[in-house]
Amino acid sequence: SHGITSNIGIGNSGEIGAVVRDAVLHGKLPGPRPFTAMSRIVTQNNNNTGLETTLTPNRAPKSAEETREYVKAYIAAGADWVIFQDGGLPYEYYVAGFEEAKKTNTPVFTRSYGPGLDPRRAALLGSKNLPHSAGIGMSVSKTAPGPGLNELDLYADMDDAKAKDLIQVLVKAGTALVPTLKLSYPGYSKYWARFDQEDHKALSDPNLLAYYPPERVLSNLAAYNNPIVTTEHRRQGYQNLLRFLKMFEDAGGHVVPGGDTNASKVPGLNIHHEFLAISESGITPMQIIQGATKWSAEMIDKE
């Protein structure tokens, strides 16, 4: 009803991922067409009991060979693509995972926060996407990451030479960026008050509230219910982040809108809000539409 006709899941569906996808594609379930990674590969998972199936979300491999086996299992189960959830594994684990995915031409996404995998290495391995633009801030900053510093602090000290160099690598590799601006930087968009108003309005509809759980309403609105303190340094960082995205797009890169629309976001509206946030960078409406359609499809080899 919001015009969303497909979505790319982040690998949290596990063994039901391919089943739900196929049910939608074959008209057995109503909904936007889903594309799934089934599960995701992480650095560590302290919540597992040892009784989980291979396809249960979040698997932490203990070797390069085990990484390869997880990738093989996800692809065999019907994954549309593979995701490495963070960048903390040894580099050779990622090499093995990419090698395995390439055997079947399966796309790979990477949250390349380091230290084992940073954006440059991810791009050179062939990552199709960096969810949350993972690791870009630390890669382009004059300041090293440290206690008390967040991503916007790093962007505030952006080195344009570093930024241009990294952009060249990303563009040459065809690595897209999904910046998730609304999620990652609450309160910084000039449209924040509009987001607040529209989300509250959507969740006051009595037809929706007839079946929508009250607990979910609270979680959907949580981002607006706590005071958001912004600093001048971080506001500058946000502007530099927007400037980086425009530089990347102008160089031939693809910025793909994604709202990380999980259970704490208002479905449908959330991605439209992300469109608006991206537009603040100067990226054009048509480029945003291409990012949400054509370039998203290319990112998972579903042209």
Side-chain angles (χ1 to χ4, degrees):
S1 61
H2 285 85
I4 310 303
T5 58
S6 60
N7 70 278
I8 299 174
I10 59 165
N12 58 359
S13 52
E15 20 187 44
I16 68 167
V19 180
V20 171
R21 176 198 61 208
D22 294 347
V24 173
L25 294 179
H26 290 283
K28 303 297 184 182
L29 287 175
R33 293 165 296 177
F35 298 101
T36 179
M38 307 293 289
S39 185
R40 51 194 174 218
I41 298 172
V42 299
T43 298
Q44 59 183 4
N45 191 337
N46 299 324
N47 297 321
N48 282 7
T49 65
L51 302 176
E52 289 81 7
T53 66
T54 299
L55 299 179
T56 300
N58 291 357
R59 308 303 293 182
K62 294 181 173 58
S63 67
E65 189 54 38
E66 191 172 24
T67 306
R68 194 182 296 275
E69 291 303 314
Y70 283 137
V71 171
K72 285 170 64 175
Y74 301 155
I75 294 171
D80 295 300
W81 51 282
V82 171
I83 183 170
F84 286 96
Q85 183 77 352
D86 45 48
L89 292 169
Y91 179 63
E92 59 267 24
Y93 290 25
Y94 300 105
V95 174
F98 270 87
E99 284 179 353
E100 199 58 46
K102 285 176 183 175
K103 292 178 182 178
T104 53
N105 295 317
T106 301
V108 180
F109 293 6
T110 51
R111 292 185 178 181
S112 49
Y113 288 113
L117 192 72
D118 61 16
R120 180 182 296 273
R121 278 180 151 185
L124 293 175
L125 282 176
S127 183
K128 298 281 280 193
N129 167 24
L130 304 185
H132 307 302
S133 296
I136 298 292
M138 69 178 184
S139 299
V140 301
S141 182
K142 300 171 188 174
T143 305
L149 295 178
N150 74 6
E151 194 87 344
L152 292 184
D153 290 316
L154 299 175
Y155 275 111
D157 295 325
M158 186 168 78
D159 182 323
D160 275 30
K162 283 186 175 182
K164 290 175 183 176
D165 178 62
L166 179 60
I167 284 170
Q168 284 186 336
V169 174
L170 295 172
V171 171
K172 184 176 180 180
T175 302
L177 297 181
V178 179
T180 58
L181 297 173
K182 183 187 176 188
L183 165 81
S184 300
Y185 312 105
Y188 283 89
S189 170
K190 69 180 182 181
Y191 294 108
W192 189 254
R194 174 175 171 175
F195 300 162
D196 185 343
Q197 180 184 29
E198 290 183 352
D199 279 349
H200 274 85
K201 181 179 178 181
L203 295 179
S204 65
D205 181 343
N207 295 310
L208 178 66
L209 296 179
Y211 66 89
Y212 208 69
E215 296 83 0
R216 188 60 68 226
V217 173
L218 289 175
S219 66
N220 286 173
L221 299 176
Y224 307 112
N225 292 337
N226 298 317
I228 297 172
V229 179
T230 63
T231 68
E232 182 56 39
H233 192 249
R234 291 179 181 177
R235 284 194 291 273
Q236 180 58 53
Y238 189 71
Q239 293 306 309
N240 281 350
L241 163 58
L242 295 177
R243 189 162 61 85
F244 178 89
L245 295 176
K246 182 66 163 62
M247 290 165 60
F248 174 67
E249 189 89 35
D250 287 348
H254 290 166
V255 173
V256 171
D260 199 356
T261 308
N262 55 41
S264 67
K265 318 295 188 312
V266 178
L269 270 179
N270 192 48
I271 190 65
H272 289 283
H273 289 167
E274 189 68 14
F275 296 165
L276 281 170
I278 291 173
S279 74
E280 294 178 62
S281 69
I283 292 173
T284 68
M286 179 53 73
Q287 288 171 325
I288 292 169
I289 291 169
Q290 288 176 298
T293 54
K294 175 177 167 59
W295 297 339
S296 292
E298 291 174 352
M299 194 171 67
I300 55 172
D301 292 340
K302 298 293 182 183
E303 297 94 327

